[in-house]
Amino acid sequence: MERLKTISFLVLLTAIFVSCSSNKKTQKKQNTKIIQNTKKKKIIDNRYKDNPLVASYDVNKDGNADMWKIYQEIKTNDDQTKKILSRREIDLNFDGKVNYYKFYSQKGNIKKEYIDLDLNGFIDTIRYYEKNLIIKEENFKKNPINKDLTINENIKPYKRYLYKHQKLNRVVIDRTHNGTLDSYLFFRKNKLIQIGFDDDDDGKIDTRVRLKAKINLEKAKGKNKNDK
Ligand SMILES: [Ca+2]
Ligand SMILES: [Ca+2]
Ligand SMILES: [Ca+2]
Ligand SMILES: [Ca+2]
């Protein structure tokens, strides 16, 4: 009975995840809009004053910088130097604290994003990319980013999403809130097909529940809405 309760909890969580990810998409659209509306002009920049490798922008025109492009100089094959975009930073709510970082490889591909989804000034989400496609997202309760923008490996995520060919493949959750990911949800074609539990926190699944009745996420989402 307990297990059944847990399964229903996880299914509900999945439905919530699906609705959250569509919110994120909207947020991303808005970000793009902000970038398009930006024009370069003289502004107060308290973080990157006179840094020749940083371009600052004032999106909301309040006189303070709220978007930055950080460049890096690299040597080309013919011994010349060239400036390439290494990261973007955005203060989404104009309070002086950066809420979004996007990192690029030297070839111009997206490497990762640090996101402060609830806009409280602390990064809570990291997304990793390969060939510009998302492969992993991790959610944190504590800011996992060091001052030099490296990742503090000691701070563990409470949720991890793994993608294959841009489709959600697995969700791993720290259901017991002890810092170890212990519950696994497996997806095929957006359908939850199996749930696994690591009961002793050793990283190996001890119990697997295969879902006979295929749970369609869209249906689960609809049900969730009706319940409200
Ligand atoms: Ca501004
Ligand atoms: Ca901010
Ligand atoms: Ca946050
Ligand atoms: Ca185990």
Side-chain angles (χ1 to χ4, degrees):
M1 194 59 198
E2 260 313 297
R3 181 123 292 167
L4 204 69
K5 266 190 200 161
T6 311
I7 292 168
S8 347
F9 164 75
L10 289 172
V11 170
L12 189 70
L13 204 93
T14 310
I16 292 167
F17 163 73
V18 170
S19 63
C20 280
S21 57
S22 60
N23 285 344
K24 280 179 205 165
K25 265 182 207 155
T26 323
Q27 182 73 57
K28 215 163 184 187
K29 256 187 199 166
Q30 283 167 354
N31 293 350
T32 323
K33 215 173 175 184
I34 289 171
I35 291 161
Q36 281 166 353
N37 289 341
T38 306
K39 272 185 198 145
K40 202 181 170 185
K41 60 174 224 172
K42 276 262 172 196
I43 40 164
I44 301 165
D45 183 349
N46 293 322
R47 299 190 325 121
Y48 291 117
K49 265 177 254 170
D50 306 321
N51 186 330
L53 288 174
V54 178
S56 306
Y57 303 84
D58 177 12
V59 176
N60 68 339
K61 312 259 188 283
D62 67 351
N64 296 312
D66 41 54
M67 191 177 90
W68 298 264
K69 284 184 185 175
I70 292 92
Y71 295 88
Q72 113 184 78
E73 268 178 346
I74 56 161
K75 280 230 177 337
T76 58
N77 288 338
D78 49 359
D79 227 24
Q80 303 280 315
T81 51
K82 147 173 122 165
K83 246 167 71 166
I84 56 160
L85 182 62
S86 122
R87 117 179 143 250
R88 281 173 199 272
E89 300 183 358
I90 306 175
D91 172 7
L92 291 165
N93 57 349
F94 314 114
D95 67 351
K97 290 175 186 164
V98 176
N99 309 104
Y100 179 77
Y101 299 82
K102 191 174 191 176
F103 297 80
Y104 299 90
S105 70
Q106 291 201 352
K107 285 182 176 168
N109 291 327
I110 308 168
K111 276 201 305 195
K112 60 184 175 188
E113 293 168 303
Y114 297 165
I115 312 164
D116 169 18
L117 281 180
D118 57 2
L119 305 178
N120 69 349
F122 296 101
I123 296 302
D124 44 61
T125 300
I126 304 179
R127 287 191 191 139
Y128 298 86
Y129 289 80
E130 243 173 53
K131 294 176 182 166
N132 287 326
L133 301 179
I134 186 163
I135 53 161
K136 181 164 83 171
E137 175 178 318
E138 288 182 327
N139 299 151
F140 299 83
K141 292 223 161 90
K142 268 192 196 167
N143 178 16
I145 309 305
N146 294 316
K147 278 201 172 127
D148 62 355
L149 296 183
T150 54
I151 296 166
N152 185 341
E153 302 288 349
N154 293 328
I155 298 179
K156 304 290 181 200
Y158 68 92
K159 212 186 282 175
R160 177 180 287 150
Y161 304 98
L162 295 156
Y163 293 82
K164 244 186 194 173
H165 309 298
Q166 266 193 308
K167 283 212 166 69
L168 187 63
N169 179 265
R170 224 179 316 154
V171 180
V172 197
I173 305 162
D174 176 11
R175 198 171 38 90
T176 52
H177 308 289
N178 67 349
T180 310
L181 298 168
D182 49 61
S183 302
Y184 296 70
L185 288 83
F186 297 90
F187 295 85
R188 290 292 173 277
K189 295 179 181 171
N190 279 340
K191 278 173 190 162
L192 180 62
I193 54 157
Q194 196 186 126
I195 299 173
F197 299 96
D198 173 11
D199 297 323
D200 53 3
D201 284 347
D202 68 348
K204 288 174 192 152
I205 295 176
D206 308 295
T207 319
R208 286 179 190 269
V209 181
R210 288 185 174 80
L211 300 169
K212 277 181 199 159
K214 287 181 184 171
I215 295 169
N216 187 311
L217 282 188
E218 283 306 310
K219 275 184 194 163
K221 201 171 145 188
K223 190 177 181 302
N224 193 29
K225 260 184 207 161
N226 294 340
D227 286 349
K228 276 175 198 168

